[in-house]
Each structure stands twice: as C-alpha cells, then as structure tokens.
Amino acid sequence: MLHKMTRGALIVFEGCDRCGKTTQCKKLVDALNRDGGKAEFMRFPERSTAIGQTISGYLEKKSELEDHAVHLLFSANRWELVPKMLRLLNSGTTLIVDRYAYSGVAFTGAKPGFDLQWCKQPDVGLPKPDQVLYLTLSPEEASKRAAFGTERYENTEFQERVAKNFEILKEHDWKIVNAGKSIEDLHGEIKSIVTQTVESSKDKPILKLWS
Ligand code: TMP
C-alpha cells in the first residue's frame, strides 16, 4: 500500500540574547532524531553563504552597511534558504530554526526611524512557522548569565528595545516559555510542545508568513 508522505514541521525559536535558544534548538533536534523522527537544525543569519558572510562581517563590526540595506540582506539570506527549507519540509524533515523574520523586524525596528510595517515587507510570503517558541528571561536572570559578547546589538539598551518589538510582533498562537529554569526542565517543556506541533502539522499545507 502506498503511504502519503507527510511533511515536517517548521519550528522557530525567538527570544532575547543569552536565553539559551541555541542550546535548546540543538537538544531538541537530537531528541527528535532519537525518537525516530527526522529533524534538522537551521539558524538565521546563515553565515556560510555569500550574503551571510557580508552579514557576518557587519555583525562582527568589520564592515559598515546602511541600515535599510543590511535589513534587506538579512531577509535575502532567509529567501535564499527557502528552496532548501521547502525541500526538507516536504520530504518529512522537521526544521528547528534559531531566529527568523521576527528577529529581522525586532532588531531593525529597534533602530531609530524604522517602522515595523516597513520592516516586515521583505519577509512577507516566507514559509510561515507552524510554531514559534518565544523564550523569555527576566533581567535578573539574564544578569546572572555570561556577559554580552562583542558583536553589534549586544548591549542592554538595544536589547530592551528589541524585547518591546517582540511583544508587539507576538501572535496569539506563540508559545511563551520562561527560560529561567534548568536546561533539562526547559527542554522537557519545549519537547512536549514541539512533539504536538509535529503531529498536528503533518497533513496541513505550509502557509505564507504575514500574507
Ligand atoms: P545570532 O547571535 O543568533 O547569530 O544572531 C546574530 C545577530 O543578528 C543577533 O544580534 C540578531 C541579529 N539579527 C538581525 O538583526 N536581523 C535578522 O534578521 C536576524 C535573523 C538576526
């Protein structure tokens, strides 16, 4: 008997710096694969492409770019990965993605003179996540963790404006997860949410973001 191929789910992690997003994404991919599923880790910016390398040089403060131009590069970096994302999703692989268009809007929108509506436009039509997990951390918890690195945007004042933008972008179906707990407890909570999403997304079409 022929079985219809079911698709993978598109799971996006967003949240402030140092909330443990990357650690949780990687643990989740390992757990899903161990359980017999197919899952892959992706992150944005994806620094390995030509566009990604330009972005990386900018974040490392090795080069300067005009703010609108770099915003469009971050978006182009997502679009250039869309064919790969769709291929994987349609072949049944769940994608665990560390940052996506919401970071794009929240970060550029934290710069003076930027309107969130303008910021959203280049990402309209990207594959829409089946689930966004938004990791939050209180300022007290955050201050107990390692200090900021030296990349662009890694300072408290900017990050506070980013957090406010995430609050505006947040949609009713986002899962807000308090990241101020142990790695294992947080992992357990996240895994149970994502396991349900993987199941419920199987037969649903992939929708388009913000359209
Ligand atoms: P990373 O630390 O997760 O590699 O992210 C790199 C930085 O780039 C982080 O400060 C967030 C920022 N960023 C944007 O400004 N726009 C975007 O579209 C994305 C994905 C990240």
Side-chain angles (χ1 to χ4, degrees):
M1 191 169 68
L2 268 176
H3 286 283
K4 189 169 158 276
M5 167 94 79
T6 54
R7 72 167 175 95
L10 178 55
I11 310 290
V12 165
F13 280 71
E14 291 282 8
C16 61
D17 276 29
R18 297 180 298 170
C19 64
K21 272 191 313 305
T22 308
T23 306
Q24 290 299 330
C25 284
K26 292 189 168 165
K27 272 184 87 70
L28 179 61
V29 169
D30 289 346
L32 294 172
N33 283 320
R34 247 195 334 267
D35 287 356
K38 278 196 289 178
E40 270 194 34
F41 173 72
M42 290 183 80
R43 71 183 318 160
F44 291 109
E46 169 48 63
R47 301 188 192 215
S48 65
T49 66
I51 295 169
Q53 281 169 28
T54 305
I55 293 171
S56 190
Y58 170 80
L59 289 171
E60 292 167 13
K61 300 181 190 160
K62 290 180 181 152
S63 61
E64 291 301 320
L65 286 164
E66 198 277 335
D67 290 327
H68 300 79
V70 77
H71 181 73
L72 297 175
L73 288 179
F74 273 110
S75 177
N77 183 234
R78 285 183 278 280
W79 280 108
E80 68 178 338
L81 268 300
V82 166
K84 178 182 176 188
M85 291 170 76
L86 292 177
R87 196 168 59 243
L88 286 166
L89 289 170
N90 287 323
S91 71
T93 301
T94 285
L95 299 179
I96 307 300
V97 185
D98 189 352
R99 295 191 191 280
Y100 200 50
Y102 312 98
S103 274
V105 177
F107 278 76
T108 300
K111 295 177 175 180
F114 278 87
D115 163 85
L116 297 189
Q117 273 316 110
W118 184 90
C119 294
K120 279 176 158 181
Q121 293 315 307
D123 286 310
V124 169
L126 282 175
K128 181 178 160 66
D130 295 296
Q131 184 68 68
V132 177
L133 289 110
Y134 181 54
L135 270 50
T136 61
L137 200 59
S138 68
E140 300 81 66
E141 283 291 334
S143 68
K144 289 186 206 154
R145 301 195 175 185
F148 281 123
T150 55
E151 284 207 333
R152 208 179 285 267
Y153 309 144
E154 293 187 333
N155 70 76
T156 309
E157 197 203 330
F158 194 83
Q159 297 280 332
E160 279 167 5
R161 291 207 295 277
V162 171
K164 283 195 186 132
N165 286 337
F166 275 128
E167 289 301 318
I168 298 171
L169 292 170
K170 201 163 78 182
E171 288 167 29
H172 69 279
D173 56 353
W174 284 24
K175 296 278 190 233
I176 317 296
V177 185
N178 178 359
K181 47 175 85 86
S182 77
I183 290 179
E184 284 309 324
D185 287 353
L186 189 54
H187 170 66
E189 191 177 333
I190 287 171
K191 187 165 171 248
S192 109
I193 295 170
V194 171
T195 305
Q196 286 177 42
T197 308
V198 169
E199 200 44 50
S200 65
S201 309
K202 276 183 173 162
D203 299 306
K204 289 190 188 149
I206 300 168
L207 301 179
K208 289 181 190 291
L209 183 65
W210 294 327
S211 57

